[in-house]
Amino acid sequence: MKLIGVDIGGTFTDLILADVAQAQTWIHKVPTTVEDPSIGMMAGIATLCQMAQTDYAAIEHVLHGTTIATNTLLTHDGARTGMITTQGYRDIVHIGRHQRPQHYSIMQDIPWQARPLVKRRDRKVVAERLDPKGQELTPLNEAEARAAILELKAAGVESIAICFLNSYFDSCHEDRVAALAQELFPEAFITTSASIFPQFREFERFTTACINAFVGPRVKRYIDNLSRRLKAQSMRGELHIMRSNGGVATAEVAGAQPVTLLLSGLAAGVLGGAAAGERSSRDRLITFDMGGTSTDIGLVTERGFAEATARDTWIAGYPVMVPMIDVHTIGAGGGSIAYVDEGGAFRVGPRSAGAEPGPVCYAKGGTEVTVTDANVVLNRLDPDHFLGGEMAIYPDRAFAAVQDLADRVGLDLYETAAGIVTIVNNNMANAIRSRTIQKGQDPRQFALVAQGGAGPLHAAEVARSLGIPEVIVPRYPGITSAMGLLTTDLKHDLIQNEFVLSTAPNLDKLNADLRSLEDQVKAQLRADGFSDDQMTLQRFADCRYVGQGYELRALIPGGELAETTLQEVWQQFHELHTAEYGHAFPENVVELVTLRVTGTGPMPKLAGLPVPTEGDVKDAWLKTAVTYFRVKGQLEKYSTNFFERDRLPVGGEIEGPAVIFQKDSTILLPPHSHTTVEANGNLLIRLAAESPVDQRVAIEAAVG
């Protein structure tokens, strides 16, 4: 069985082809074709098939992570969207809540007000009303609904979001207006809030539906176009798209619910990092994915992936009420620009040179110093081995640009370059602290998984600053997101609001609602081609103390719910509350707010990675050269050994300082570190505490 994983980023499109039966893999990177990402993707697939000497018809599954939904929202370049809502609720998506991106600023622009997804003139109201229990108070006025649809059609909208009050209990009114819209305006992209995620909190639910409508037409066109391209090449493999929840969906489901793709590629990166950690028998991981523009940070514990809670699910300043892996992104990457701000402070990022014009050393028109240029000056990147020697870089240009910045900040050349790296490393370390220490987790109890094209170049120094003892570098760190696509399953999430108190649970209703959710999930999985014995179902309860604003998710044991089962749920909630907030109130009444059922259908997976098994570390050695490292606050020259990763044998060991080249990334071992090539293909870097500076590093010490 042959699988292809494709992750399309802002700069590069990463691809991997895996022959599961033969345990063989081929990787490739191509520049992303911004005007139509599917063009670059198809070109990359063609090259992969040539490398593997296979034809398109042999590919059974294409799994794809994409940033198209995210970029559409970030650039605010979506469809003109209309909205039909309950009379009196036209401005909910504008008013929002008291939460603001910057709590204490009186000068900020509120994203949903400064850049509304639906302009006020395109928000229409109709008479209808359900009470908080889903009982009809005011019947739907179909004449008003028809008029609203026709007004939006005449105005030239491409997409319509239908958002009614309390529709999470009963979607009958939303469904009827959607049917009318299909009849009167069939070319429009139609979204109902209850079909996306039937959750209370009107502002968040309405906004999520509006995001789906806003990005929907572009995402659906892209998916439809990609499907046609794949079929035109006689590829019989099914296309599946990565969703924010860490599972994949069919092209049809993904096209109808594009809001679930907002963290598509980022979620795949966490999955890839988790798979790498599992191969090294580590289950407490911080995934550290550093690319050209940004760094993405995820957390994996023995319980699995950290999932974003209702209070965390914000993207580009908008609340998003869909299940998603908790991934934190900051503007720190190889292309991050170093500059002196108006107050005279030396800063790095979040502004980036991107792929065009890129770092100065790319010689593509970039004139501002970047992190990549600083690494070139410190001799951590080599012009003969950049992107496997397939891309030229020009060190002299980097030296000139960094020297110009050094003159402005009053430092010498190498102190300036090292300062750039130190600042960006500290920025990334602070981001990791926000996802660990500030959430009650000790980073010293985790291993850091270095991912992305720039991650392995910075991971060891970032880990050392946090006291993290180990760094795992996957076999192909630069395409970890693409690899993550080959480790996941198809996944569906359904919910039902309950609002049940621990003092008076209605077991009959809870069991009936759980059975209903399970039946719906099974029906979806059957439609996707899975038999009942292939399915796995998990049940959860979102709970809170009475009066709290947000919930924590507890696992519901299998079988019929009973009083003893609920006691287990309440106890688990108290434990989760202690872990999250440092305290719990076991004597307080707990409210079960939402039932949740997650169903998965197994997808074929990447079984293993080929690694060299013979040879000697000496065979992988390339040269010795001087590089620069800051140890105990002092910047010093170090005699550093350079190696080629593809020739490192299993069990091979290297002492830092060292630089290891591979096509998709460069790995840095600072002084007082040690790496071992594991049988699974990972490099396991162990970091010792810094000892006094010792420059007596010889090639014999590293290669034996």
Side-chain angles (χ1 to χ4, degrees):
M1 178 175 289
K2 294 183 174 66
L3 316 173
I4 285 182
V6 184
D7 178 62
I8 298 181
T11 304
F12 286 104
T13 295
D14 303 331
L15 305 99
I16 179 170
L17 190 156
D19 186 329
V20 175
Q22 302 298 322
Q24 291 181 297
T25 57
W26 295 264
I27 68 168
H28 191 47
K29 293 173 80 80
V30 297
T32 296
T33 48
V34 179
E35 68 279 4
D36 183 353
S38 66
I39 295 174
M41 175 176 170
M42 293 306 300
I45 290 176
T47 302
L48 271 183
C49 288
Q50 291 173 2
M51 294 166 63
Q53 297 183 343
T54 189
D55 56 26
Y56 289 106
I59 307 300
E60 296 190 39
H61 290 279
V62 178
L63 299 107
H64 178 27
T66 175
T67 58
I68 188 166
T70 312
N71 290 341
T72 300
L73 183 61
L74 290 173
T75 60
H76 206 74
D77 192 26
R80 180 174 176 181
T81 301
M83 178 181 176
I84 300 175
T85 190
T86 306
Q87 199 170 65
Y89 288 84
R90 181 184 188 185
D91 294 320
I92 272 190
V93 292
H94 182 84
I95 296 170
R97 294 192 186 274
H98 70 278
Q99 295 106 320
R100 294 294 187 264
Q102 302 170 47
H103 289 301
Y104 305 109
S105 172
I106 61 173
M107 303 296 292
Q108 64 182 303
D109 287 330
I110 310 304
W112 59 87
Q113 294 176 351
R115 298 200 302 176
L117 297 166
V118 185
K119 295 180 179 178
R120 195 170 194 272
R121 61 176 174 269
D122 292 330
R123 299 181 219 145
K124 308 297 180 181
V125 299
V126 299
E128 72 83 38
R129 186 70 177 263
L130 302 180
D131 72 10
K133 297 297 183 182
Q135 301 299 313
E136 186 176 77
L137 296 177
T138 303
L140 172 67
N141 189 320
E142 292 197 10
E144 291 182 1
R146 288 176 179 272
I149 294 165
L150 293 174
E151 287 174 14
L152 292 172
K153 182 177 182 179
V157 304
E158 298 176 64
S159 186
I160 298 176
I162 302 166
C163 310
F164 289 153
L165 190 68
N166 297 323
S167 64
Y168 57 87
F169 265 122
D170 189 336
S171 63
C172 59
H173 288 179
E174 286 190 355
D175 294 340
R176 179 54 185 156
V177 175
L180 292 174
Q182 293 289 356
E183 172 192 332
L184 300 171
F185 195 2
E187 60 271 31
F189 185 92
I190 308 299
T191 298
T192 64
S193 72
S195 69
I196 298 301
F197 215 59
Q199 179 68 282
F200 71 103
R201 297 187 176 103
E202 261 62 32
F203 168 58
E204 289 84 354
R205 176 164 54 86
F206 286 13
T207 301
T208 301
C210 289
I211 292 173
N212 195 74
F214 184 73
V215 305
R218 171 172 288 188
V219 173
K220 190 173 189 307
R221 283 194 296 269
Y222 168 74
I223 292 175
D224 290 346
N225 184 37
L226 179 57
S227 297
R228 284 193 297 269
R229 287 180 182 272
L230 291 171
K231 290 178 181 177
Q233 296 293 337
S234 301
M235 188 174 291
R236 63 187 178 90
E238 291 187 66
L239 174 65
H240 287 85
I241 312 294
M242 172 61 71
R243 304 171 93 178
S244 303
N245 65 359
V248 294
T250 62
E252 181 181 3
V253 170
Q257 299 182 340
V259 70
T260 64
L261 311 183
L262 286 173
L263 295 185
S264 176
L266 305 189
V270 177
L271 292 174
E278 184 178 0
R279 285 192 286 271
S280 292
S281 301
R282 305 299 194 275
D283 59 6
R284 293 178 65 81
L285 307 164
I286 299 166
T287 61
F288 174 74
D289 193 342
M290 182 180 179
T293 303
S294 62
T295 297
D296 307 315
I297 296 159
L299 203 66
V300 182
T301 69
E302 57 276 9
R303 293 186 176 184
F305 312 114
E307 189 168 341
T309 61
R311 64 183 180 275
D312 295 325
T313 51
W314 293 74
I315 297 178
Y318 302 93
V320 184
M321 292 284 284
V322 295
M324 58 181 65
I325 290 177
D326 189 7
V327 185
H328 181 54
T329 300
I330 65 166
S336 294
I337 293 170
Y339 64 100
V340 179
D341 69 13
E342 294 177 354
F346 191 8
R347 298 189 180 276
V348 181
R351 195 161 55 90
S352 174
E356 296 287 347
V360 177
C361 64
Y362 284 11
K364 292 183 178 180
T367 58
E368 296 181 282
V369 174
T370 68
V371 172
T372 297
D373 296 310
N375 279 311
V376 169
V377 170
L378 297 172
N379 200 26
R380 299 176 176 187
L381 292 173
D382 187 275
D384 296 328
H385 297 89
F386 194 78
L387 203 62
E390 296 179 4
M391 180 175 176
I393 59 173
Y394 302 88
D396 56 329
R397 301 196 179 203
F399 274 83
V402 174
Q403 183 63 64
D404 180 64
L405 179 62
D407 293 340
R408 283 184 278 140
V409 299
L411 298 172
D412 72 21
L413 173 70
Y414 295 104
E415 284 286 355
T416 301
I420 293 169
V421 171
T422 298
I423 291 171
V424 77
N425 284 348
N426 285 337
N427 291 343
M428 295 184 292
N430 284 334
I432 292 174
R433 289 185 183 98
S434 74
R435 314 315 286 178
T436 53
I437 295 171
Q438 293 180 20
K439 290 180 174 289
Q441 298 283 358
D442 185 347
R444 296 172 297 182
Q445 297 176 359
F446 289 76
L448 190 70
V449 184
Q451 305 169 204
L457 191 60
H458 292 259
E461 292 182 327
V462 170
R464 175 167 279 159
S465 71
L466 293 163
I468 296 172
E470 295 179 332
V471 175
I472 297 169
V473 184
R475 180 66 185 88
Y476 303 120
I479 62 161
T480 306
S481 291
M483 291 182 62
L485 294 164
L486 305 187
T487 67
T488 189
D489 294 310
L490 190 140
K491 187 186 244 185
H492 291 294
D493 293 281
L494 288 179
I495 67 168
Q496 172 69 48
N497 290 279
E498 294 291 337
F499 302 105
V500 171
L501 299 182
S502 59
T503 52
N506 185 333
L507 286 172
D508 290 339
K509 184 177 187 305
L510 287 173
N511 279 307
D513 288 344
L514 277 173
R515 283 193 297 271
S516 175
L517 290 173
E518 289 172 346
D519 289 342
Q520 292 176 60
V521 168
K522 287 179 180 179
Q524 290 185 348
L525 290 171
R526 290 187 194 111
D528 293 329
F530 297 98
S531 61
D532 285 14
D533 61 344
Q534 292 177 304
M535 303 174 189
T536 301
L537 301 184
Q538 282 188 303
R539 313 184 305 175
F540 301 91
D542 291 352
C543 302
R544 64 187 180 187
Y545 292 121
V546 173
Q548 281 188 316
Y550 294 102
E551 303 79 46
L552 295 173
R553 188 162 304 148
L555 179 68
I556 300 176
E560 192 83 357
L561 272 182
E563 192 65 44
T564 54
T565 310
L566 284 179
Q567 289 301 325
E568 292 180 37
V569 173
W570 310 142
Q571 180 58 35
Q572 187 184 159
F573 167 71
H574 295 313
E575 293 171 359
L576 290 169
H577 200 279
T578 300
E580 182 77 13
Y581 300 111
H583 60 270
F585 304 99
E587 68 283 358
N588 283 23
V589 177
V590 178
E591 185 177 24
L592 192 162
V593 176
T594 305
L595 291 176
R596 183 185 306 263
V597 173
T598 298
T600 57
M603 296 289 293
K605 294 180 178 61
L606 179 67
L609 296 170
V611 295
T613 57
E614 298 179 355
D616 192 284
V617 172
K618 292 180 180 179
D619 299 330
W621 178 78
L622 296 169
K623 65 178 181 179
T624 300
V626 171
T627 58
Y628 291 78
F629 293 92
R630 192 183 301 281
V631 177
K632 289 188 175 294
Q634 298 298 315
L635 186 65
E636 301 286 350
K637 295 180 182 179
Y638 278 80
S639 177
T640 301
N641 298 301
F642 290 70
F643 299 88
E644 185 178 354
R645 182 172 185 178
D646 290 343
R647 299 173 67 187
L648 289 174
V650 169
E653 298 185 2
I654 298 174
E655 297 288 340
V659 176
I660 303 172
F661 297 124
Q662 63 183 97
K663 179 177 180 179
D664 55 314
S665 189
T666 298
I667 303 151
L668 181 72
L669 298 181
H672 318 301
S673 66
H674 171 93
T675 190
T676 302
V677 183
E678 297 189 303
N680 55 51
N682 290 342
L683 293 183
L684 181 62
I685 302 173
R686 291 187 171 90
L687 301 166
E690 290 181 351
S691 60
V693 176
D694 180 1
Q695 298 184 44
R696 295 173 296 173
V697 179
I699 180 62
E700 292 81 8
V703 302

